[in-house]
Amino acid sequence: MPTIDHAGTYTLGDRQVRRLGYGAMQLAGPGVFGPPRDRDAALAVLREAVSSGVDHIDTSDFYGPHVTNQLIHEALSPYPDDLVIVTKVGATRGEDASWNPAQEPAQLRAAVEDNLRNLGLERLDVVNFRIHPGHLGRDEHSIADSFEAMAAMQAEGLIRHLGISNATPAQVAEARAIAPIVCVQNQYNLAHREDDAMIDELAADGIAFVPFFPLGGFSPLQSASLSTVAARIGATPMQVALAWLLRRSPNILLIPGTSSVSHLRENLQVADIELPDEVIGALDAIGTDQD
């Protein structure tokens, strides 16, 4: 069994969680839409994650929609006392599997209620407000109305802690001026390091940073460089990318996703991977590689 304790822990709100978590997005059908190809296999992955020591699961009711939350409820309820379920709101799915913004206060409340119902909870541990991307990626605009609605639901007791996702530094600051946040969930990896300064600032304030797409957006040269390093130390590229993230900063929490028990075990093994200084240097250089 993977020894994920070797990756250490970090504070998420008022809970200590292991830095290796699990992201449930891939449990839904193709394109994160519809039911899984193998429902029993999806349930087995969730149970294996928790039995392996994972105490931090990332999900959303717009995965499916509703699919991953219903699977989590079926597989794990009644939930272990130490399990933290983090969800997100800010989008809906169209009948054509499209991802559509749902950022208005009434839409956010409906999403929170959907998450509560499908997870079988009376209060959500952590809810990330996910800012809908513009056509060029992150879209710099005020999120005050939306985040004030999130803070109001927290005051009502529907949400324990708040986070924010797909946010610029200005939007993180705007959210923090409205209510405390416990995590930021953004794309960040070896090749995309726009949030380097943000990670360090959040670490200084005891706020977790949760990167998604650990292998997303790599150029062919960057992918080849990563594969070369991985072969040198006898690991997979995904394992090396995750191990680098663990090494990058102590406030980074990982949520690698998979629908396979064997791949889950492979991901959790990164806690035991040690990266020598010369390997770190080669990995750091990937961020400067070009096509």
Side-chain angles (χ1 to χ4, degrees):
M1 180 179 294
T3 52
I4 69 172
D5 281 341
H6 292 175
T9 63
Y10 196 74
T11 302
L12 183 60
D14 55 0
R15 307 276 289 277
Q16 284 288 122
V17 299
R18 295 179 176 92
R19 293 179 64 206
L20 270 170
Y22 172 72
M25 183 174 73
Q26 292 186 34
L27 294 183
V32 200
F33 194 74
R37 292 188 177 95
D38 187 333
R39 186 177 186 85
D40 288 341
L43 297 171
V45 169
L46 288 163
R47 291 169 179 147
E48 177 74 14
V50 171
S51 68
S52 298
V54 168
D55 57 9
H56 165 215
I57 292 178
D58 181 85
T59 185
S60 175
D61 209 59
F62 54 67
Y63 294 162
H66 317 307
V67 170
T68 60
N69 281 353
Q70 291 170 355
L71 289 168
I72 290 168
H73 188 208
E74 180 177 346
L76 303 177
S77 180
Y79 299 114
D81 290 340
D82 65 347
L83 180 63
V84 177
I85 298 177
V86 180
T87 188
K88 64 185 72 65
V89 296
T92 57
R93 304 300 298 278
E95 293 183 1
D96 59 351
S98 57
W99 300 80
N100 304 309
Q103 313 263 293
E104 298 299 321
Q107 294 173 311
L108 297 173
R109 178 172 291 274
V112 166
E113 292 172 350
D114 283 345
N115 278 276
L116 287 166
R117 180 177 59 257
N118 286 308
L119 288 168
L121 294 170
E122 294 182 355
R123 179 169 63 172
L124 299 170
D125 293 325
V126 182
V127 181
N128 285 309
F129 168 59
R130 178 164 172 76
I131 301 167
H132 200 76
H135 70 287
L136 295 177
R138 295 187 203 171
D139 188 5
E140 190 74 82
H141 62 273
S142 174
I143 59 166
D145 289 347
S146 298
F147 209 74
E148 285 169 359
M150 300 295 297
M153 287 185 283
Q154 182 184 35
E156 291 177 40
L158 300 179
I159 301 169
R160 188 172 183 84
H161 299 291
L162 297 174
I164 192 168
S165 177
N166 205 41
T168 67
Q171 289 165 333
V172 171
E174 186 177 27
R176 295 183 67 185
I178 294 168
I181 64 172
V182 301
C183 58
V184 174
Q185 189 178 105
N186 278 358
Q187 180 176 0
Y188 178 83
N189 56 40
L190 280 162
H192 292 272
R193 304 187 200 168
E194 293 87 351
D195 286 340
D196 269 331
M198 181 193 296
I199 290 171
D200 296 335
E201 292 167 4
L202 294 173
D205 291 338
I207 297 172
F209 184 90
V210 187
F212 57 78
F213 296 150
L215 291 180
F218 278 52
S219 71
L221 177 58
Q222 290 167 332
S223 294
S225 298
L226 176 59
S227 295
T228 298
V229 172
R232 188 192 316 171
I233 66 173
T236 69
M238 173 65 90
Q239 286 177 320
V240 173
L242 293 173
W244 180 86
L245 286 166
L246 284 176
R247 172 83 174 254
R248 168 61 182 83
S249 180
N251 69 322
I252 287 182
L253 302 178
L254 301 184
I255 51 168
T258 179
S259 58
S260 158
V261 167
S262 61
H263 191 205
L264 170 72
R265 292 170 179 165
E266 189 176 277
N267 286 340
L268 297 183
Q269 288 169 358
V270 303
D272 293 320
I273 294 178
E274 295 187 9
L275 300 176
D277 288 342
E278 64 272 18
V279 168
I280 290 292
L283 293 173
D284 286 344
I286 287 175
T288 62
D289 287 344
Q290 303 297 320
D291 289 310

